[in-house]
């Protein structure tokens, strides 16, 4: 196991480092990004007024809209000839958000992803199969550079072409696999379909993220592949993957690379900072980035943070698994629910598979939710039993019941045959909002 020195620093050492780096970042942003200078001036704050980490609460937030409003290069803090890489996230509406890296940023990013892979169980000299998409998305190249930095033999497979993924896993014998949990599940199912057993490959660790996934999904992936599956978190605006990583020893929360990112949890309604342990919106401030310093970036992701010594020996602050996005929260007849909570209940029924979609529509001016989920063929004793229409119907009623008692929502459920729900090679599309089309 590789433990980076900074990951075991005491709270005081970490806080001193963070404050020093915060001051540098604020000066850099104030001097070089007119957007930040204007915002600070409006609030009559100058970077030298920030004397403690708590003072960060006086600083303005940055949002995705701010990045879009300055599309493409308006928030960059260095001359164009110092930028060596651009990435972009597609976003559901309007322009993408563009992010930039200097060579120093790429080096820092590679370091934190190397640390993340090690936190997840990867070791120098092993082989890593990288099924995150390569391109403008930060997943592929982010994991790639980190894997090389750790000294792993790195296979840049990217997403898609599932049969080739399987062949390369069989032939190259990787020990670590990376990809979105939904896609890596689809690869396992393809193997099963071909009469192969994913549990018999050389793989030992999975580094999965870029989309919300539940504890039940972890168990499914771990059992199917016979691996340990850990959660990696990140977002383009902050750097990409590697902002936080779950350790394979404890599998209980993600270690934030807090020497590079200062973390706050805020109430998304009041924007007030919440005490440690409370759930709210994650907000990050970069502490070492050159090309795109980002101050109090509102991620839209819901989680909580806690500082405690972990079983793995690290002292870095940990965040909980992301429950969902502020804007993904569904309000069904007044009851708030996140798709991940629905997933948690669906996967507690063994006859169902982790492939599902949530269809949101409007009927008589009320929001209605239909839950479509695939049946898990493997748990039936015979083909006849599986094909029995009654089983599909009674399972649908079971889903309605479990969501009523577990999430307090009334839904219409439809249990469908395997393969009905489209598979994604990257982030799974779980929620289809038909209300917007209907309006
Ligand atoms: O998804 C970066 C990434 C790549 C992370 C590979 C992990 C692995 P974006 O495309 O900018 O960047 O999307 C960022 O994805 O705000 C979350 O809503 C979601 N997300 C990322 N990781 C997780 C995770 C990459 N582990 C957005 N759990 C974020 C839940 C995640 N949601």
């Amino acid at each position: 196991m590789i433990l980076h020195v900074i990951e075991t620093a005491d709270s005081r050492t970490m806080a001193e480092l963070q404050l020093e780096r915060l001051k540098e970042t604020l000066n850099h942003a104030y001097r070089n990004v007119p957007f930040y200078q204007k915002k600070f001036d409006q609030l009559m704050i100058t970077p030298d007024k920030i004397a403690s980490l708590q003072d960060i609460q006086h600083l303005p937030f940055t949002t995705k809209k701010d990045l879009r409003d300055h599309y493409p290069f308006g928030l960059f803090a260095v001359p164009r000839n110092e930028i060596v890489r651009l990435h972009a996230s597609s976003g559901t509406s309007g322009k993408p958000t563009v992010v930039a890296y200097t060579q120093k940023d790429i080096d820092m990013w590679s370091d934190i992803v190397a640390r993340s892979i090690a936190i997840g169980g990867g070791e120098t000299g092993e082989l890593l199969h990288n099924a995150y998409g390569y391109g403008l998305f930060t997943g592929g190249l982010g994991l790639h550079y980190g894997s090389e930095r750790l000294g792993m033999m790195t296979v840049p497979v990217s997403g898609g072409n599932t049969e080739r993924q399987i062949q390369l896993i069989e032939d190259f014998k990787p020990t670590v696999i990376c990809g979105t949990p939904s896609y890596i599940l689809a690869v396992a199912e393809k193997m099963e379909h071909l009469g192969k057993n994913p549990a018999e490959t050389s793989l030992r660790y999975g580094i999965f993220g870029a989309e919300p996934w539940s504890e039940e999904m972890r168990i499914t992936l771990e059992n199917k592949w016979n691996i340990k599956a850990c959660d990696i978190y990140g977002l383009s605006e902050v750097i990409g993957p590697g902002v936080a990583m779950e350790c394979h020893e404890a599998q209980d929360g993600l270690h934030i690379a807090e020497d590079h990112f200062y973390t706050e949890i805020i109430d998304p309604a009041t924007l007030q900072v919440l005490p440690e342990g409370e759930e709210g919106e994650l907000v990050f401030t970069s502490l070492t980035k050159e090309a795109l310093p980002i101050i109090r970036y509102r991620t839209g992701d819901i989680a909580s943070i806690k500082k405690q010594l972990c079983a793995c020996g690290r002292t870095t602050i940990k965040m909980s698994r992301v429950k969902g996005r502020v804007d993904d929260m569904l309000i069904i007849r007044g009851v708030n629910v996140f798709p991940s909570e629905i997933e948690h209940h669906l996967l507690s029924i063994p006859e169902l598979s982790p492939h599902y979609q949530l269809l949101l529509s409007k009927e008589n001016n009320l929001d209605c939710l239909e839950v479509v989920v695939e049946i898990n063929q493997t748990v039936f004793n015979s083909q006849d039993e599986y094909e029995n229409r009654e089983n599909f119907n009674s399972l649908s009623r079971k889903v309605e019941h479990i969501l009523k008692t577990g999430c307090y929502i009334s839904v219409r459920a439809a249990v469908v045959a395997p393969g009905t729900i489209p598979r994604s090679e990257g982030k799974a599309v779980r929620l289809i909002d038909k209300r917007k089309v209907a309006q």
Side-chain angles (χ1 to χ4, degrees):
M1 176 178 66
I2 308 168
L3 264 188
H4 203 279
V5 182
I6 198 68
E7 294 172 341
T8 57
D10 59 68
S11 301
R12 198 165 144 198
T13 309
M14 183 59 82
E16 282 171 3
L17 179 70
Q18 286 185 318
L19 183 59
E20 184 195 316
R21 291 180 166 182
L22 175 67
K23 287 180 180 173
E24 281 168 20
T25 298
L26 296 180
N27 275 308
H28 174 52
Y30 187 75
R31 267 187 278 114
N32 298 304
V33 187
F35 163 79
Y36 281 123
Q37 190 175 66
K38 198 167 141 205
K39 276 205 158 189
F40 279 41
D41 288 350
Q42 277 167 354
L43 293 167
M44 290 192 289
I45 302 172
T46 46
D48 56 296
K49 296 257 168 60
I50 303 299
S52 73
L53 287 171
Q54 283 66 40
D55 286 346
I56 203 167
Q57 296 184 29
H58 304 304
L59 298 176
F61 291 104
T62 310
T63 63
K64 205 174 189 78
K65 183 172 180 305
D66 294 324
L67 274 104
R68 289 222 176 93
D69 289 348
H70 294 84
Y71 175 85
F73 301 156
L75 295 187
F76 295 177
V78 297
R80 290 208 11 199
N81 62 3
E82 289 181 28
I83 291 172
V84 299
R85 173 99 65 85
L86 294 180
H87 280 284
S89 69
S90 51
T92 41
S93 58
K95 298 240 166 70
T97 46
V98 181
V99 296
Y101 305 78
T102 62
Q103 186 55 53
K104 200 165 151 231
D105 292 332
I106 294 284
D107 287 340
M108 178 274 275
W109 188 20
S110 308
D111 283 341
I112 59 164
V113 177
R115 262 160 64 178
S116 298
I117 298 170
I119 294 174
E123 286 183 22
T124 305
E126 291 186 325
L127 203 143
L128 181 141
H129 179 105
N130 188 11
Y132 281 116
Y134 281 64
L136 286 174
F137 173 53
T138 51
L141 285 172
L143 263 298
H144 184 101
Y145 274 60
S147 172
E148 288 187 349
R149 178 62 55 99
L150 186 60
M152 298 186 83
M153 199 193 291
T154 309
V155 190
V157 199
S158 196
N161 201 341
T162 307
E163 292 196 15
R164 192 184 53 184
Q165 305 265 355
I166 296 167
Q167 188 192 340
L168 296 183
I169 292 170
E170 287 175 336
D171 294 349
F172 294 175
K173 305 203 175 356
T175 46
V176 181
I177 187 165
C178 308
T180 58
S182 55
Y183 183 58
I184 302 301
L185 176 67
V187 177
E189 287 177 346
K190 183 80 186 177
M191 279 189 90
E192 288 169 345
H193 188 71
L194 296 171
K196 300 174 176 190
N197 183 0
E200 286 169 5
T201 70
S202 51
L203 288 169
R204 296 191 304 125
Y205 293 103
I207 295 181
F208 304 143
E211 63 185 10
W213 53 306
S214 62
E215 195 55 35
E216 289 71 20
M217 179 75 148
R218 187 214 301 275
I219 294 166
T220 305
L221 282 163
E222 290 195 333
N223 289 342
K224 273 197 190 295
W225 285 103
N226 189 21
I227 56 171
K228 267 206 165 179
C230 293
D231 194 4
I232 185 165
Y233 170 81
L235 60 167
S236 337
E237 294 83 355
V238 174
I239 191 86
V243 174
M245 176 75 207
E246 189 178 47
C247 61
H248 68 96
E249 292 93 343
Q251 292 186 303
D252 175 30
L254 293 80
H255 292 274
I256 297 174
E258 55 172 335
D259 45 330
H260 297 285
F261 310 105
Y262 182 76
T263 317
E264 298 167 275
I265 297 282
I266 61 160
D267 178 329
T270 65
L271 306 186
Q272 292 306 305
V273 176
L274 296 173
E276 205 183 295
E278 277 191 35
E279 194 171 81
E281 180 178 352
L282 274 166
V283 170
F284 290 107
T285 299
S286 69
L287 299 175
T288 51
K289 271 171 65 177
E290 288 186 333
L292 184 67
I294 197 121
I295 298 169
R296 303 196 84 200
Y297 184 71
R298 290 188 58 187
T299 62
D301 294 325
I302 301 288
S304 59
I305 49 174
K306 66 173 175 208
K307 185 121 183 138
Q308 58 175 200
L309 177 64
C310 181
C312 70
R314 291 181 180 84
T315 52
T316 38
I317 200 160
K318 291 207 281 188
M319 59 179 256
S320 65
R321 153 197 297 290
V322 172
K323 188 171 174 186
R325 295 189 49 77
V326 178
D327 39 17
D328 273 356
M329 190 179 75
L330 306 171
I331 305 177
I332 310 294
R333 316 258 158 111
V335 181
N336 301 354
V337 62
F338 283 98
S340 61
E341 291 169 292
I342 297 180
E343 174 177 308
H344 163 79
H345 288 288
L346 290 180
L347 297 193
S348 67
I349 306 175
E351 294 92 342
L352 299 180
S353 87
H355 298 290
Y356 65 95
Q357 264 182 344
L358 309 175
L359 314 179
L360 203 52
S361 60
K362 238 184 174 53
E363 274 171 34
N364 304 326
N365 250 343
L366 290 173
D367 284 344
C368 292
L369 185 66
E370 186 178 354
V371 177
V372 184
V373 54
E374 287 183 11
I375 204 161
N376 176 6
Q377 195 172 354
T378 55
V379 301
F380 293 94
N381 293 324
S382 67
Q383 188 65 13
D384 281 353
E385 193 190 339
Y386 159 66
E387 280 171 4
N388 182 352
R389 193 66 233 161
E390 261 322 294
N391 279 333
F392 280 71
N393 288 339
S394 70
L395 274 171
S396 302
R397 302 296 82 77
K398 196 167 175 181
V399 169
E400 288 165 0
H401 177 74
I402 206 163
L403 293 179
K404 180 96 202 161
T405 49
C407 297
Y408 313 109
I409 51 169
S410 299
V411 306
R412 242 192 341 255
V415 172
V416 296
T420 312
I421 293 176
R423 305 293 190 258
S424 154
E425 291 164 4
K427 299 181 190 236
V429 181
R430 301 291 195 200
L431 185 64
I432 297 183
D433 194 344
K434 298 200 281 186
R435 292 172 308 177
K436 290 178 188 139
V437 184
Q439 273 165 11

